[in-house]
Amino acid sequence: AQMIARDGEGAHKLVTVEVRGARTESDAERIARAIANSPLVKTAIAGADPNWGRVLAAVGYSGVEIDPGKIDIFFGKHQVCRKGVAAKFDEKKVHDYLTQPVFDVGVELRRGKVAGGTDVEKRARARITIKATAHPVRKDLSFQRDARPLRNGL
């Protein structure tokens, strides 16, 4: 599966998203897919931007019940979010890590508890391929404006 993703047309990065500490494997997979499919996460990854807030937002809109105050986020070994807030990290090192063609994003939810208080290690992985292409910058910024009014007179 990794080879197929790596060979994807226009693919520049292969990112593995791993979610741990969910109550069920289904919840973990749902969150991993929300992160993997997020256009905001993909944009941050394509630009090697350690914007962990986009990952946290994707976790939030996954539809899975979470406690944001328990979530940790990692880019590889670099923890960028601790208990839902920014962790102290070296932004340059994390940026450099995100420039690699293959890397991991990890999310620890701390939601999986069973009787006796033991953590349940529910994991889901989703592989995402980021298509990052550079577009030439136009130096001639002149353009013709369409003078026709929009609908409703706007």
Side-chain angles (χ1 to χ4, degrees):
Q2 246 187 7
M3 291 299 287
I4 291 170
R6 282 185 188 163
D7 290 340
E9 185 177 337
H12 291 216
K13 296 189 182 192
L14 178 69
V15 181
T16 300
V17 177
E18 183 175 358
V19 176
R20 296 177 300 275
R23 286 192 174 154
T24 66
E25 283 194 46
S26 174
D27 284 354
E29 183 173 348
R30 192 167 169 187
I31 290 169
R33 290 190 183 282
I35 295 166
N37 292 322
S38 167
L40 291 175
V41 171
K42 290 179 182 181
T43 301
I45 288 171
D49 178 7
N51 189 334
W52 59 269
R54 292 179 177 198
V55 175
L56 187 61
V59 171
Y61 63 66
S62 69
V64 174
E65 183 182 334
I66 52 119
D67 181 351
K70 292 183 175 182
I71 295 176
D72 293 342
I73 300 172
F74 298 84
F75 292 128
K77 67 178 182 177
H78 306 281
Q79 185 170 13
V80 294
C81 171
R82 178 177 286 118
K83 296 185 177 179
V85 296
K88 186 176 180 181
F89 65 94
D90 184 328
E91 195 166 335
K92 168 103 173 77
K93 284 183 181 178
V94 178
H95 169 78
D96 290 347
Y97 176 76
L98 295 176
T99 62
Q100 297 179 82
V102 178
F103 61 87
D104 300 321
V105 174
V107 178
E108 177 62 57
L109 300 172
R110 290 193 186 81
R111 298 288 293 165
K113 298 285 184 186
V114 295
T118 307
D119 274 332
V120 176
E121 234 353 77
K122 298 294 181 185
R123 296 174 184 245
R125 289 180 181 223
R127 298 205 187 280
I128 59 176
T129 303
I130 304 301
K131 182 177 180 181
T133 55
H135 297 287
V137 177
R138 286 187 57 199
K139 291 184 180 179
D140 175 20
L141 297 178
S142 64
F143 59 93
Q144 285 192 321
R145 183 181 170 116
D146 187 353
R148 292 178 293 155
L150 300 174
R151 291 186 181 161
N152 298 330
L154 299 175

